[in-house]
Amino acid sequence: MLYTTSDRRDPPTHLLGVLRTLWQWRKPIALTTLAGALLAIVISLLLPAYYTGFTSFVAISPEQVSIESTFGTGGNRTQFYGTGDDIDRLLSIAESNEVVHFIVDSFNLYRAYGIDSTTLKGPVKVAQKFQSFYDVERSPRDIIELSVEDRDPMRAAAMATAARRRIDALNLALIRATHSRNANGLAVEIQHSEQQLSELNERLSTLRRDSGVYNTEAQSEALSILSSQIDQQLAITEARLSAFRERGVRDSIDRLSINLLGLQRSRNSLDEQLVKYNGSVSQIENLEEERLQANEALTENRLRLKQYQTILSGDRRTLEVIEEAQVPLVKSSPIRWLIVSVATVVTFLCAVVGVLLLENGRRYDWASITR
């Protein structure tokens, strides 16, 4: 297919003008770009190298630090890893001033960053400086990643480890604070129960001493047997006495009469004991039942308190380490080739824009415009 001259499209005149201008200024543009690249190389070489200490961990469920999980008293299945709330709590602790101030004081970052600690804004400056090198993030897989940058690779790894341990300690302190309050409340309840049990023992001892009832079950059986025996002896004695009276045996009648009188007095005395026993036995049994329940509750509370004390004094943790902080062997910043590349491109673009503005400005008579 043949094209005529009229069908051909010439390039825009303004584009040709731009290309012509750039070609005319090619040497200054190249020299400016080269100078910018050389300056970027020098500056990037002067920048200090930073190393990143990195560690990662996952949250452990607070149920792992509970009595039910430790001593197996809970019937439900215990969750091992923490939920979203547990992860958010760890992140909040990691970003708190408590962790920042701990790292600043532990590693003397005033000296490391060259900040005067005696000035009013010194604590604020050192905290801001450290936070610019400190980062804590939650990965899509619910793993907490903690990183700290520093010029010293050993110090960077040490700060990452110290920050992680401090987060664990603060989180454990929050959980143990709840256990401590429960333990203190339980100790007060135990003290009250001991006083109540002591009062019950005193009342029961007084009632037993006044009533003469010390063992309700044994004494009830003994009194029943004794009552039956006396009744039997009374019946036998009365029958024999009646028989001897019919025969008129005077000596036997006198002896049996004396025996009968003794048995009747024993019967009266036993009846008095039975009346006293029956009047006190219900109170004694109620007090014994109350004391038994109080003693069982006190024993259970003492066991619960001992379990709390074991949890509070034991070696616990609230996070599981996935990756320990190792001393980095390769620097993380600055990325010198990237700095030089970006600086070179920016210098070239600035030179091009400057040339175009300069050439475009020559078209105007600025003297006449400013009149």
Side-chain angles (χ1 to χ4, degrees), residues 74-95:
N76 298 328
R77 182 180 178 183
T78 304
Q79 185 174 359
F80 187 79
Y81 294 106
T83 60
D85 293 337
D86 302 318
I87 297 174
D88 290 339
R89 184 174 61 254
L90 283 178
L91 290 174
S92 299
I93 294 174
E95 296 170 354

Side-chain angles (χ1 to χ4, degrees), residues 20-273:
R20 187 182 302 110
T21 300
L22 296 178
W23 179 255
Q24 293 175 354
W25 287 81
R26 62 185 182 279
K27 290 184 178 181
I29 291 175
L31 292 175
T32 302
T33 304
L34 180 60
L38 293 175
L39 182 61
I41 292 173
V42 173
I43 293 175
S44 65
L45 292 175
L46 294 177
L47 291 176
Y50 285 89
Y51 299 84
T52 300
F54 176 84
T55 182
S56 60
F57 49 90
V58 293
I60 295 180
S61 174
E63 296 179 2
Q64 295 295 322
V65 199
S66 64
I67 291 178
E68 289 75 12
S69 172
T70 304
F71 298 96
T73 57
N76 298 328
R77 182 180 178 183
T78 304
Q79 185 174 359
F80 187 79
Y81 294 106
T83 60
D85 293 337
D86 302 318
I87 297 174
D88 290 339
R89 184 174 61 254
L90 283 178
L91 290 174
S92 299
I93 294 174
E95 296 170 354
S96 65
N97 292 330
E98 188 72 24
V99 175
V100 174
H101 294 161
F102 174 77
I103 298 298
V104 169
D105 296 336
S106 300
F107 293 89
N108 194 14
L109 295 186
Y110 286 100
R111 180 179 179 182
Y113 295 157
I115 298 175
D116 188 2
S117 60
T118 60
T119 60
L120 183 62
K121 295 183 178 181
V124 177
K125 290 182 179 179
V126 73
Q128 291 177 346
K129 185 74 172 179
F130 170 72
Q131 288 174 338
S132 65
F133 297 125
Y134 174 67
D135 183 53
V136 182
E137 294 181 350
R138 174 182 180 177
S139 72
R141 297 182 178 180
D142 292 337
I143 297 175
I144 300 177
E145 299 175 343
L146 186 150
S147 61
V148 182
E149 281 189 331
D150 195 80
R151 295 184 183 181
D152 186 354
M154 296 184 64
R155 185 167 59 196
M159 285 195 293
T161 301
R164 187 197 69 229
R165 291 176 178 173
R166 186 61 175 174
I167 294 169
D168 185 23
L170 292 174
N171 191 34
L172 182 60
L174 289 177
I175 298 174
R176 280 182 168 172
T178 303
H179 292 330
S180 180
R181 286 192 295 269
N182 293 337
N184 292 335
L186 203 55
V188 173
E189 186 175 350
I190 289 174
Q191 185 178 3
H192 177 70
S193 298
E194 289 176 344
Q195 183 178 358
Q196 182 181 6
L197 187 60
S198 177
E199 293 176 356
L200 282 174
N201 288 331
E202 185 176 354
R203 288 171 55 192
L204 186 59
S205 177
T206 302
L207 184 58
R208 281 176 171 172
R209 185 175 61 252
D210 295 340
S211 63
V213 180
Y214 295 94
N215 190 325
T216 56
E217 186 174 351
Q219 286 184 255
S220 176
E221 184 178 357
L223 289 174
S224 298
I225 295 174
L226 183 59
S227 177
S228 178
Q229 290 176 350
I230 291 177
D231 289 340
Q232 186 178 5
Q233 291 176 4
L234 278 172
I236 294 173
T237 303
E238 287 177 351
R240 292 179 63 188
L241 181 61
S242 179
F244 281 119
R245 282 177 178 173
E246 291 178 357
R247 296 178 183 179
V249 181
R250 188 64 185 176
D251 294 337
S252 298
I253 293 174
D254 293 338
R255 180 171 53 83
L256 289 174
S257 297
I258 295 172
N259 292 338
L260 181 61
L261 182 60
L263 290 173
Q264 289 176 346
R265 290 180 178 178
S266 299
R267 175 75 263 182
N268 294 333
S269 177
L270 182 60
D271 290 340
E272 292 177 359
Q273 293 182 22

